Amino acid sequence: QVQLVESGGGLVQAGGSLRLSCAASGRTDSSYVMGWFRQVPGKEREFVAAIRWSGGNTLYADSVKGRFTISRDNAKNTVYLEMNSLKPEDTAVYYCAAKRGQGLVAATTYYGYWGQGTQVTVSS
């Protein structure tokens, strides 16, 4: 089992920044890929970014490329999502997720472990 706990959400003005953290525990190892997703009420959960524990290769959604950065601290078993130049349309509940295997993918169906989510609200 893998447990994921997100933190760092909050309220920020448009143009501002936030950093989300995802602490992983349990049976994680270097073969996992960690991802961030977001969801607003009434819409599908959408992919934001993903990173390999091993090697640090990354994948981003086009909507956040150049504004968001995903990173990991292997020693702390923690993944981060640095969000800059935030827009009101970035408002959502952000979820951390983990999948086995090295493939960097965006589809939610490949991720078997999920955190409880953290709310990010960007005011205009």
Side-chain angles (χ1 to χ4, degrees):
Q1 273 296 80
V2 175
Q3 294 81 41
L4 304 171
V5 179
E6 304 98 333
S7 60
L11 173 64
V12 64
Q13 286 189 329
S17 299
L18 276 177
R19 188 176 80 157
L20 305 182
S21 300
C22 173
S25 61
R27 299 183 64 180
T28 57
D29 58 46
S30 62
S31 68
Y32 276 68
V33 164
M34 304 297 294
W36 285 99
F37 293 77
R38 64 188 183 187
Q39 189 170 23
V40 297
K43 290 191 174 182
E44 298 282 320
R45 191 168 296 187
E46 68 170 0
F47 171 77
V48 176
I51 188 168
R52 289 195 180 112
W53 272 123
S54 174
N57 305 75
T58 57
L59 178 69
Y60 292 94
D62 288 343
S63 59
V64 306
K65 210 173 285 184
R67 299 188 299 123
F68 291 11
T69 302
I70 188 171
S71 62
R72 88 271 191 238
D73 184 330
N74 290 4
K76 294 183 178 180
N77 256 15
T78 300
V79 176
Y80 304 98
L81 185 68
E82 184 76 35
M83 305 185 293
N84 299 315
S85 302
L86 282 161
K87 305 174 182 179
E89 50 265 43
D90 294 318
T91 295
V93 176
Y94 282 71
Y95 295 90
C96 178
K99 67 173 285 289
R100 294 177 180 174
Q102 297 280 355
L104 281 171
V105 295
T108 58
T109 52
Y110 288 95
Y111 292 79
Y113 305 97
W114 294 86
Q116 82 288 350
T118 185
Q119 176 71 46
V120 171
T121 303
V122 184
S123 63
S124 55

